Amino acid sequence: MKNTILAAALCLATGPAFSADYSVAPSSTLGFTSNFQGEGFDGSFRKFDATIRYDSADLSASKFDVKIDLSSVETGDSDRDGALPDSDFFNIAKFPQAHFVTSGFRQSGNDVIADGTLSLKGVTKPVSLSLKFADKGDTATLDVTATIKRLEFNVGSGEYADTSTIGDEVKVKAHLDLTRQ
């Protein structure tokens, strides 16, 4: 009996991590970095919704589903902010959202990679995100980075397809403040 109680206490104290659903706090950010005429610039999306389930002990139980309101884009430049919603870039009249959903997670050295698909401007392609997850009990943080090629998603068509004017690579970064549900 004594050994059973001790074993149960040890299991509770060191218990396995279970998948948890998280809500995303309003303090969370989703942004990107690109360049225009050789000058770097940052942008962000003010509105996005994410369904997060994460289990560091069993990555197969994890899942992300992220929807981004493309009309909420801001770069701090009024000309660029006015052009991004148009048909040459996001074409938000026809494609108001971008959508990322995971297909699986894997360990790569010290990093966790979330593989999935990104749908943007009518194009769906595989994208992999590099994750840093910090569990803090009832809260957690999730930092995400990825690099996508905008031209693969037809973002910046016509005269804007020239990569000497606008770089093809876009670095995506997110910092999510999470609360366990």
Side-chain angles (χ1 to χ4, degrees):
M1 176 77 168
K2 196 181 220 181
N3 287 340
T4 304
I5 293 171
L6 179 60
L10 285 173
C11 284
L12 289 174
T14 61
F18 295 103
S19 64
D21 292 328
Y22 293 92
S23 62
V24 179
S27 57
S28 299
T29 58
L30 173 60
F32 61 92
T33 301
S34 189
N35 68 67
F36 176 72
Q37 296 179 336
E39 296 286 324
F41 70 91
D42 293 322
S44 64
F45 295 95
R46 295 180 323 278
K47 296 178 185 174
F48 62 95
D49 182 47
T51 302
I52 306 288
R53 171 173 284 167
Y54 193 75
D55 183 346
S56 59
D58 180 11
L59 292 174
S60 68
S62 301
K63 182 170 176 76
F64 298 169
D65 189 326
V66 182
K67 294 178 181 148
I68 304 161
D69 179 346
L70 296 175
S71 70
S72 72
V73 68
E74 288 183 337
T75 66
D77 179 275
S78 61
D79 290 338
R80 185 171 31 243
D81 291 350
L84 287 173
D86 293 341
S87 61
D88 284 332
F89 290 97
F90 292 139
N91 193 5
I92 65 166
K94 189 171 181 182
F95 306 104
Q97 281 189 341
H99 185 209
F100 176 81
V101 64
T102 53
S103 56
F105 292 75
R106 60 189 160 87
Q107 194 75 40
S108 176
N110 291 330
D111 294 329
V112 173
I113 307 297
D115 295 314
T117 56
L118 175 64
S119 297
L120 174 62
K121 200 176 176 185
V123 177
T124 300
K125 294 215 172 259
V127 170
S128 295
L129 310 176
S130 180
L131 311 176
K132 299 286 185 208
F133 183 84
D135 189 349
K136 301 175 181 181
D138 288 339
T139 63
T141 58
L142 177 63
D143 290 294
V144 177
T145 57
T147 300
I148 63 170
K149 294 187 181 265
R150 68 178 177 86
L151 293 176
E152 290 181 356
F153 294 94
N154 299 322
V155 175
S157 56
E159 67 181 286
Y160 303 109
D162 181 359
T163 58
S164 68
T165 302
I166 302 173
D168 190 23
E169 286 193 352
V170 178
K171 293 182 178 167
V172 178
K173 58 187 179 238
H175 175 80
L176 304 181
D177 295 314
L178 306 173
T179 303
R180 188 181 304 263
Q181 297 297 292

